[in-house]
Amino acid sequence: MGYSDIYAAWKADPEAFWMEAAEAVDWFQPPSKALFDDNAPFYEWFSDGLVNTCYNAVDRHVEAGRGDQLAIMHESPITHATKGITYRELRDRVASLAGALRMRGVEKGDRVIIYMPMIPEALEAMLACARIGAIHSVVFGGFAANELAVRIDDCQPRAILAASCGLEPGRVVHYKPLLDEAIEMAAHKPEFCVIFQREQEVAKLVEGRDFSWHGFQYGVKPADCVPVEGNHPAYILYTSGTTGAPKGVVRSTAGHIVALQWTMKNIYNVGPGERFWAASDVGWVVGHSYIAYGPLLAGAETIVFEGKPIGTPHAGVFWRIIQNHRVKSFFTAPTALRAIRREDPKGEWIKRYKLHALQALFLAGERADPDTVLWAQEHLGVPVIDHWWQTETGWAIAANPLGIEHLPVRVGSPSVAMPGYDVRILDEGGHEVPDGEMGAIAIKLPLPPGTLQTLWNAGERYEKSYLNHFPGHYETGDAGYQDADGYLYIRARTDDVINVAGHRLSTGAMEEVLASHPDVAECAVIGVADELRGQLPLGFLCLNSGHERSPEEVIAECVYMVRDRIGPVAAFRQAVVIDRLPKTRSGKILRGTMQKIADSQDYKMPATIDDPAILDEITAALKTMGYAR
């Protein structure tokens, strides 16, 4: 069966489709049906089934005789360490940690915050929670103390599992002082903390509250997997809300297992014993779905990478790991590829490695600009597949389902909607627009299994944030269009559409033009306030290393290119060359913050910012153009 048959089968009978998908899961008690809609719009899936995520991700593979296969491969170019863990070793380590948590009073339904770097223990912590039905909330390691405190107060954890430090190229990130400060600031105090002491920095433990990772497990009875209801929350993952309080996305257990299990084979084409690598971080949704859970549910080997695309030690580190571990499917963010391309525009590093096992490169996290996709296709010689999803959905809304069939790639599109997602393009009034016309992208309810069930302790906010604008639909917050063949084009967040003299223009489309200039490595376009036209576009350009031209020449050519390809209506006349763009740690460009600086408005330093110093550089560059007054 091809993609269109499978999508049509889902549409004709979603209930049968998801009950069949659920057969790939090992249940303590199978569900009586797939969709539970008695509390709509809070839809649930497989609610009366009994299941355990850790059992499906670890124990069942050992029982199937595959205990000696590698489950986790840790690659840390920063510490020059490589370490493999088999499924049997993983089961024993997770059962021991889970037993110790339970001995200290952590029960099903209790929350546990995990604050760790990219080490295998971070995955073991997540799985240990899942094993006993505790609800984990992973907070990106090294996140600011006040942000951690806000999350402690929101989910009220019984315990916090942390590491003494994280490692960045050339510096140690001190986790423990941040953790101590956060607990000090928080109104809610965890009962205890367990600290994994790394040799790069041993942290001071607070007597009576803090335990060392290994000592904590001394003499405990390993825990068995606890069956939980299908609608039991598996985890809470905070996503930065536009206003103050972070939004705690709640993922329920059964839908999460069923959906991820389905995607591993059908989207990524990865099965038992094969190797999958998502170069992300456990603090983000990609790390939850496709470092920790997805590959292990599929019985594959997952790679945990502590490093950066460049500088640890060079722009070839991705390709070296793909070669050495025979990675079959590789998943990263376009931002990482752009960083590599900027250092290695001719792909010299790629030629040094043999990437025989690689079947495809998957991109997500932000829009993949066509130029980056074409560069990767040319140098890697494998399909480069852009796919689109969100923290809230937990897996791809639109993708090219490699395990079903490799659809023709249309550069600039994440391809087509996956089964489970009925995608609609709507105008302001909630009416569908014709093919090829820009609109707000919404998904007709119910959302499929594996997506968010609600926001933690904030059901009303969930409705207000996602459901109220277009009744009967989930609002993605992205704008774009669909072509006649159902291929989606994501143009911008709805708030990245700027209004120039009454014309609605996509900054994403302008960025696409700028990125195609041979000297531009990376770029961003924002709308700045203009008395005459409402808004005007302003470009920020980072140039390739080794370019020969003056910034003025490049800017003049870019202005001409936008006029040529989008038209004078874009009114694109100003750009500035800068060293680097401000981004979140997961690689999203902070366009909104840049816009506030340009318009001389007050802004809140984004909690997820990678390097706050960049904002000063942006401010200085904007001042030279008469902005940021």
Side-chain angles (χ1 to χ4, degrees):
M1 274 170 84
Y3 157 77
S4 49
D5 302 328
I6 288 176
Y7 190 81
W10 160 73
K11 226 168 171 174
D13 192 347
E15 185 69 23
F17 180 90
W18 289 117
M19 284 304 274
E20 188 184 332
E23 288 170 16
V25 172
D26 286 25
W27 301 86
F28 291 104
Q29 177 189 306
S32 63
K33 57 178 185 167
L35 180 67
F36 287 71
D37 55 4
D38 17 350
N39 192 21
F42 296 88
Y43 294 94
E44 293 180 355
W45 294 93
F46 314 112
S47 303
D48 62 359
L50 289 176
V51 70
N52 182 284
T53 309
C54 184
Y55 181 82
N56 278 279
V58 185
D59 299 59
R60 67 168 169 169
H61 305 309
V62 180
E63 289 167 20
R66 301 215 323 282
D68 295 334
Q69 277 181 12
L70 284 173
I72 296 173
M73 177 55 74
H74 186 228
E75 269 282 353
S76 170
I78 296 181
T79 60
H80 316 291
T82 300
K83 172 184 184 163
I85 297 172
T86 66
Y87 271 101
R88 182 173 290 105
E89 289 164 345
L90 182 60
R91 179 196 61 189
D92 296 346
R93 291 166 71 142
V94 169
S96 167
L97 180 59
L101 288 170
R102 205 169 55 193
M103 193 180 80
R104 285 264 153 216
V106 176
E107 294 288 336
K108 175 186 164 192
D110 286 339
R111 274 79 59 212
V112 175
I113 279 183
I114 298 171
Y115 186 64
M116 300 187 88
M118 284 295 287
I119 53 179
E121 287 76 12
L123 275 64
E124 290 167 13
M126 296 164 81
L127 291 163
C129 290
R131 194 171 188 87
I132 55 176
I135 302 165
H136 66 66
S137 185
V138 181
V139 178
F140 183 86
F143 223 29
N146 63 307
E147 292 294 329
L148 179 53
V150 167
R151 288 154 176 75
I152 291 172
D153 280 337
D154 192 69
C155 77
Q156 309 211 327
R158 178 161 279 196
I160 297 181
L161 305 180
S164 55
C165 66
L167 304 171
E168 296 274 331
R171 71 188 177 108
V172 172
V173 184
H174 316 287
Y175 284 10
K176 187 59 171 42
L178 292 168
L179 175 62
D180 291 341
E181 195 188 330
I183 293 174
E184 181 78 15
M185 293 163 78
H188 171 87
K189 309 294 181 198
E191 289 172 23
F192 64 94
C193 301
V194 187
I195 309 298
F196 181 74
Q197 298 279 23
R198 301 191 73 183
E199 60 186 74
Q200 289 75 20
E201 175 171 276
V202 175
K204 182 176 185 305
L205 301 185
V206 175
E207 190 66 35
R209 184 194 76 190
D210 298 344
F211 297 91
S212 76
W213 192 268
H214 297 294
F216 173 68
Q217 300 179 51
Y218 175 74
V220 305
K221 184 169 168 283
D224 288 331
C225 295
V226 172
V228 302
E229 300 75 18
N231 59 359
H232 179 70
Y235 68 74
I236 302 165
L237 177 57
Y238 287 95
T239 172
S240 29
T242 37
T243 52
K247 297 189 285 204
V249 167
V250 177
R251 192 93 58 218
S252 48
T253 301
H256 179 235
I257 302 172
V258 171
L260 292 183
Q261 177 91 34
W262 187 87
T263 63
M264 286 306 297
K265 176 75 198 87
N266 292 285
I267 297 178
Y268 303 104
N269 198 25
V270 167
E274 296 184 315
R275 288 151 304 277
F276 183 85
W277 178 21
S280 177
D281 189 283
V282 285
W284 314 127
V285 70
V286 173
H288 282 60
S289 295
Y290 295 112
I291 297 174
Y293 290 115
L296 297 178
L297 287 166
E301 175 185 328
T302 184
I303 293 184
V304 175
F305 171 71
E306 184 177 45
K308 295 270 185 267
I310 55 173
T312 59
H314 50 61
V317 66
F318 277 8
W319 323 123
R320 185 189 77 200
I321 290 173
I322 290 170
Q323 167 190 279
N324 292 355
H325 296 299
R326 309 195 311 287
V327 171
K328 185 177 181 189
S329 280
F330 176 53
F331 179 150
T332 189
T335 224
L337 278 196
R338 284 196 290 268
I340 293 171
R341 180 183 168 198
R342 190 177 180 180
E343 292 273 311
D344 183 22
K346 297 198 175 75
E348 303 293 347
W349 278 107
I350 300 175
K351 296 188 186 84
R352 297 188 185 193
Y353 299 101
K354 300 269 183 285
L355 309 179
H356 300 314
L358 186 67
Q359 63 162 358
L361 164 67
F362 290 85
L363 297 173
E366 67 204 298
R367 236 171 34 83
D369 55 290
D371 250 54
T372 301
V373 173
L374 294 169
W375 177 86
Q377 269 175 359
E378 178 194 340
H379 294 289
L380 291 170
V382 297
V384 176
I385 294 177
D386 182 19
H387 58 328
W388 169 61
W389 46 298
Q390 304 176 320
T391 301
E392 289 85 354
T393 66
W395 59 285
I397 303 169
N400 194 325
L402 209 60
I404 298 173
E405 68 172 312
H406 180 204
L407 298 170
V409 168
R410 295 186 184 175
V411 175
S413 166
S415 301
V416 293
M418 288 296 94
Y421 294 99
D422 184 354
V423 175
R424 308 287 175 101
I425 315 289
L426 308 175
D427 64 16
E428 286 296 301
H431 307 291
E432 289 197 54
V433 302
D435 289 341
E437 227 175 86
M438 275 270 280
I441 307 178
I443 299 160
K444 196 166 179 309
L445 295 175
L447 289 176
T451 54
L452 82 170
Q453 185 170 313
T454 182
L455 295 174
W456 184 253
N457 286 342
E460 275 180 28
R461 187 175 182 195
Y462 166 67
E463 295 188 75
K464 193 166 144 257
S465 300
Y466 304 108
L467 310 181
N468 290 353
H469 190 168
F470 299 119
H473 296 79
Y474 164 87
E475 181 187 5
T476 65
D478 283 301
Y481 63 91
Q482 201 162 16
D483 69 15
D485 301 318
Y487 277 68
L488 280 167
Y489 292 80
I490 317 301
R491 273 294 173 239
R493 289 293 291 174
T494 15
D495 42 19
D496 284 348
V497 174
I498 60 172
N499 199 314
V500 180
H503 298 282
R504 284 169 63 82
L505 296 166
S506 157
T507 52
M510 295 184 217
E511 288 175 8
E512 215 160 275
V513 175
L514 300 178
S516 67
H517 188 289
D519 291 329
V520 173
E522 199 164 22
C523 62
V525 174
I526 60 169
V528 291
D530 176 75
E531 276 173 20
L532 184 62
R533 295 189 187 80
Q535 278 184 307
L536 281 179
L538 166 65
F540 294 85
L541 311 173
C542 303
L543 304 184
N544 281 316
S545 48
H547 67 90
E548 316 271 293
R549 328 272 298 290
S550 74
E552 292 71 31
E553 281 179 274
V554 175
I555 290 171
E557 286 169 9
C558 284
V559 167
Y560 171 77
M561 285 163 69
V562 174
R563 189 188 172 92
D564 182 45
R565 291 198 220 161
I566 295 178
V569 63
F572 182 85
R573 298 196 193 90
Q574 25 181 21
V576 58
V577 169
I578 50 171
D579 251 355
R580 49 202 190 139
L581 288 165
K583 293 179 186 174
T584 65
R585 297 199 175 117
S586 60
K588 289 195 172 43
I589 297 167
L590 293 162
R591 295 179 180 83
T593 307
M594 289 159 78
Q595 186 170 347
K596 284 194 166 126
I597 294 174
D599 290 344
S600 320
Q601 296 173 354
D602 292 336
Y603 65 92
K604 182 176 157 224
M605 170 78 68
T608 50
I609 190 164
D610 196 27
D611 183 353
I614 304 181
L615 293 180
D616 299 332
E617 298 166 18
I618 296 290
T619 307
L622 284 165
K623 285 201 157 109
T624 63
M625 306 180 72
Y627 294 104
R629 290 188 287 283

